[in-house]
């Protein structure tokens, strides 16, 4: 029997994903605009990485107000 681990979004990740849907963007498109990989963006969305150096660009691209 295989064990499936459900990954949960961080509170920041929930905001990012919601705004991606609202803007009709994919995470891959956002990662490209940020100049990072989709894998690294996934780590930010799931709370595995802070993504500090990308926060300002994420705010600007997605037009969201998130704490630093």
């Amino acid at each position: 029997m295989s064990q499936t681990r459900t990954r949960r979004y961080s509170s920041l990740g929930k905001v990012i994903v919601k705004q991606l849907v609202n803007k009709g963007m994919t995470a891959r498109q956002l990662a490209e605009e940020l100049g990072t990989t989709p894998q690294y963006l996934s780590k930010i969305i799931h709370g595995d990485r802070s993504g500090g150096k990308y926060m300002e660009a994420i705010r600007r691209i997605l037009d969201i107000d998130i704490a630093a």
Side-chain angles (χ1 to χ4, degrees):
M1 192 166 15
S2 70
Q3 203 173 16
T4 304
R5 185 177 142 210
T6 303
R7 296 198 63 204
R8 297 179 188 264
Y9 295 135
S10 66
S11 54
L12 169 63
K14 289 176 186 175
V15 173
I16 291 172
V17 170
K18 182 175 188 268
Q19 199 60 4
L20 283 171
V21 171
N22 290 343
K23 290 191 166 281
M25 283 182 78
T26 65
R28 181 174 296 279
Q29 289 169 323
L30 177 58
E32 286 176 12
E33 285 200 43
L34 293 172
T36 189
T37 64
Q39 293 84 359
Y40 190 79
L41 179 58
S42 177
K43 289 179 183 196
I44 295 170
I45 290 171
H46 289 96
D48 299 331
R49 295 280 185 253
S50 70
K53 78 182 224 179
Y54 298 106
M55 282 304 114
E56 188 54 44
I58 290 171
R59 285 187 195 102
R60 181 179 39 78
I61 294 165
L62 295 180
D63 191 28
I64 52 179
D65 184 24
I66 49 180

